[in-house]
């Protein structure tokens, strides 16, 4: 459960919170929308938004594979009994959708993925030699959010979470939590966002928490060990019902904080599900379950990215990376030729022809696109591009089409904030 790409010398005045509001920009840029017939809190993704989402999903899956995670799929439904065992039914029922009757059984839309992953682990016997076992899934889950708090992509009822659960020995838990924080920091750097603060979220008075003080003490000590060397604040009342967690907080343009990424240590669910591994002594031992989300939910991270970048996504994440603008109809063929060559490199490019209006209007419409190449009669005849415009206002001068595509491809692979590197 869980910097703008600009040349500082040419940077405009900071945009207001209204200008960066992801609900306004998301619709203006054709990323997502809602429809009352689908229901409140159930946004749908438009083609450009789907590109951003797919790119994020591919990025995080590849990062997880490199870090030793193995991916699984699990169903979005589970029997009510599953959530009674996990503790969700007792401690989290108010945020769950009501059960559905299927014959003699009751099934529930899952509010989290961790009970399913506990069953995945339990389906096979495990030796200490296999641990840590890292299981990841980008899966759907559902929360019965009140209508009054729903809005845009930040509070929704259908959530697609980049989730993972690490099953490990107690001696491995702090190192696994620390490694998860490293994955989070790298992802945030690649996304061009910054953490506002790290929060150690602890239980508070009056909350619905699992009653086992010793497990809380052990889990908190392990998270404090994982946080060693990082500035953080301990806050009561923000823990999960089954254990403490590290929340990586981000702030929107108005200064409002929300949790994007999390790391949690859980002794409770391994106990409830009877999870075991065979130790070096041949006896059965209880694993620790480390819950970890690198980018959080796809919905919330896209909302934050829209606001952090004002809709001008980093090059590798931009729905369209290059717009080619032929001045007249006679330049259509070379424009489409450049777009095809870009596509052959895996770049996302499109032609904005004169049917879309004047050149000035087309340039303004593509203001969030990292690269714009204008093709006139001279460019069509000679092949070089004299009018390449970067999103930050710079014009790097005459380059060949091949050189432009090489440079864009380099920036996509580097995932850095820079739009143009020196030759």
């Amino acid at each position: 459960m869980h910097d703008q790409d600009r040349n500082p010398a040419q940077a405009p005045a900071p945009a207001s919170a209204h200008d960066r509001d992801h609900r306004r920009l998301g619709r203006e840029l054709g990323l997502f929308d809602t429809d009352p017939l689908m229901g409140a809190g159930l946004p749908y993704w438009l083609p450009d938004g789907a590109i951003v989402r797919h790119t994020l999903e591919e990025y995080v899956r590849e990062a997880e594979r490199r870090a030793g995670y193995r991916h699984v799929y699990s169903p979005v439904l589970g029997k009510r009994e599953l959530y009674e065992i996990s503790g969700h039914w007792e401690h989290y029922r108010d945020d769950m959708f009501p059960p559905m009757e299927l014959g003699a059984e009751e099934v529930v839309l899952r509010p989290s993925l961790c009970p399913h992953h506990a069953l995945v682990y339990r389906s096979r016997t495990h030796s200490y030699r296999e641990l840590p076992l890292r299981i990841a899934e980008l899966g759907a889950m559902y929360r019965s959010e009140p209508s009054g708090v729903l809005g845009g992509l930040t509070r929704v009822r259908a959530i697609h979470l980049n989730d993972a659960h690490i099953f490990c020995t107690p001696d491995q838990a702090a190192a696994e939590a620390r490694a998860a924080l490293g994955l989070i920091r790298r992802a945030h750097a690649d996304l061009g966002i910054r953490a506002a603060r790290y929060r150690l979220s602890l239980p508070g008075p009056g909350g619905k928490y699992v009653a086992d003080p010793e497990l809380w003490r052990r889990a908190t000590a392990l998270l404090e060990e994982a946080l060693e060397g990082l500035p953080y604040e301990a806050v009561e009342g923000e823990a999960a019902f089954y254990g403490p967690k590290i929340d990586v907080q981000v702030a929107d343009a108005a200064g409002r904080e929300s949790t994007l990424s999390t790391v949690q240590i859980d002794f409770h669910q391994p106990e409830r599900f009877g999870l075991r591994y065979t130790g070096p002594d041949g006896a059965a031992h209880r694993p620790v379950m480390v819950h970890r989300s690198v980018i959080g939910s796809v919905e919330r991270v896209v909302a934050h990215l829209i606001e952090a970048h004002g809709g001008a996504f980093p090059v590798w994440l931009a729905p369209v990376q290059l717009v080619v603008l032929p001045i007249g109809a006679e330049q259509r063929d070379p424009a489409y030729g450049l777009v095809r060559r870009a596509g052959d490199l895996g770049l996302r490019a499109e032609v904005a022809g004169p049917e879309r209006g004047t050149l000035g209007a087309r340039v303004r419409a593509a203001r969030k696109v990292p690269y714009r190449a204008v093709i006139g009669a001279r460019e069509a005849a000679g092949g070089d591009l004299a009018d390449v415009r970067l999103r930050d206002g710079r014009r790097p001068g005459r380059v060949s089409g091949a050189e432009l595509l090489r440079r864009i491809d380099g920036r996509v692979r580097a995932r850095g904030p820079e739009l143009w590197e020196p030759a």
Side-chain angles (χ1 to χ4, degrees):
M1 296 176 63
H2 299 301
D3 313 311
Q4 284 300 94
D5 289 344
R6 299 186 186 277
N7 182 333
Q10 300 175 2
S16 68
H18 173 267
D19 291 337
R20 289 177 177 263
D21 188 318
H22 83 277
R23 294 166 297 184
R24 184 185 66 80
L25 278 174
R27 288 172 172 82
E28 178 186 313
L29 299 175
L31 302 176
F32 68 90
D33 213 329
T34 58
D35 191 292
L37 282 177
M38 290 189 189
L42 300 170
Y44 59 87
W45 298 83
L46 295 163
D48 279 357
I51 289 173
V52 174
R53 176 173 167 171
H54 290 163
T55 305
L56 275 172
E57 292 175 355
E58 291 166 2
Y59 165 80
V60 77
R61 285 194 183 106
E62 179 57 31
E64 288 169 340
R65 280 192 292 270
R66 290 196 305 269
Y69 288 81
R70 304 189 70 184
H71 291 92
V72 299
Y73 289 103
S74 59
V76 299
L77 293 170
K79 291 173 64 174
R80 170 177 160 174
E81 180 185 358
L82 172 62
Y83 305 105
E84 290 174 341
I85 293 171
S86 70
H88 288 84
W89 190 253
E90 177 184 356
H91 298 282
Y92 202 71
R93 188 187 318 171
D94 292 344
D95 295 298
M96 296 170 64
F97 281 98
M100 296 172 278
E101 292 187 2
L102 290 179
E105 296 180 344
E106 287 187 329
V107 296
V108 180
L109 284 167
R110 67 178 175 195
S112 69
L113 281 71
C114 41
H116 294 252
H117 288 188
L119 295 184
V120 170
Y121 177 87
R122 198 175 74 176
S123 69
R124 302 288 186 273
T125 58
H126 300 282
S127 162
Y128 73 96
R129 294 184 178 89
E130 299 172 60
L131 305 185
L133 178 63
R134 307 178 185 99
I135 295 174
E137 181 177 2
L138 207 156
M141 61 189 198
Y142 299 85
R143 305 279 173 86
S144 182
E145 297 276 12
S147 298
V149 303
L150 299 173
L153 295 176
T154 53
R155 293 294 291 270
V156 294
R157 288 172 170 158
I159 303 163
H160 298 84
L161 185 67
N162 156 236
D163 207 4
H165 298 92
I166 304 161
F167 299 89
C168 61
T169 70
D171 290 344
Q172 294 169 333
E176 288 299 312
R178 191 180 305 114
L181 287 173
L183 270 179
I184 290 167
R185 289 196 298 273
R186 175 58 191 268
H188 287 194
D190 287 344
L191 293 168
I193 57 180
R194 294 189 177 93
R197 63 180 176 131
Y198 293 89
R199 185 179 75 191
L200 178 59
S201 295
L202 303 172
K208 292 184 178 180
Y209 301 109
V210 170
D212 194 324
E214 176 58 18
L215 293 188
W216 283 94
R217 186 198 64 76
R218 291 174 63 196
T220 300
L222 289 169
L223 289 179
E224 288 172 339
E225 185 179 342
L227 283 164
E228 189 173 343
L230 289 174
Y232 69 92
E233 299 174 49
V235 178
E236 292 187 350
E238 297 293 340
F241 73 82
Y242 49 78
K245 57 194 175 90
I246 298 168
D247 290 323
V248 183
Q249 301 294 102
V250 294
D252 66 12
R256 296 180 294 255
E257 273 195 17
S258 61
T259 302
L260 194 63
S261 312
T262 61
V263 181
Q264 307 167 35
I265 289 185
D266 179 7
F267 290 96
H268 169 72
Q269 289 189 76
E271 177 74 30
R272 294 295 291 263
F273 284 101
L275 304 186
R276 298 281 190 272
Y277 67 90
T278 303
D281 57 359
H285 295 264
R286 184 86 66 210
V288 179
M289 195 171 174
V290 180
H291 305 236
R292 179 248 68 187
S293 182
V294 170
I295 60 171
S297 76
V298 174
E299 290 79 12
R300 180 167 290 182
V301 74
V302 171
H304 185 68
L305 285 166
I306 293 170
E307 298 197 357
H309 297 294
F313 292 103
V315 177
W316 68 275
L317 200 53
V320 178
Q321 294 158 332
L322 167 66
V323 167
V324 183
L325 304 109
I327 291 177
E330 58 274 15
Q331 286 90 46
R332 285 181 186 275
D333 286 347
Y336 278 103
L338 183 60
V339 165
R340 283 193 296 272
R341 289 156 58 197
D344 290 342
L345 291 173
L347 302 177
R348 298 186 287 272
E350 65 177 37
V351 173
E355 71 279 359
R356 298 193 191 181
T358 65
L359 180 61
R362 286 180 277 151
V363 168
R364 287 190 296 273
R367 66 191 180 282
K368 305 292 187 183
V369 177
Y371 306 93
R372 291 160 288 185
V374 178
I375 295 185
R378 183 182 305 172
E379 289 80 12
D384 281 357
L385 302 169
D387 192 356
V388 174
R389 308 180 188 194
L390 308 188
R391 182 171 58 199
D392 59 17
R394 286 179 292 163
R395 299 192 182 191
R398 182 179 294 275
V399 294
S400 69
E403 174 69 5
L404 174 63
L405 297 183
R406 185 190 67 79
R407 285 176 175 266
I408 296 174
D409 184 56
R411 301 320 309 149
V412 169
R413 293 177 185 277
R415 294 198 183 98
E418 300 85 3
L419 288 173
W420 199 262
E421 288 284 356

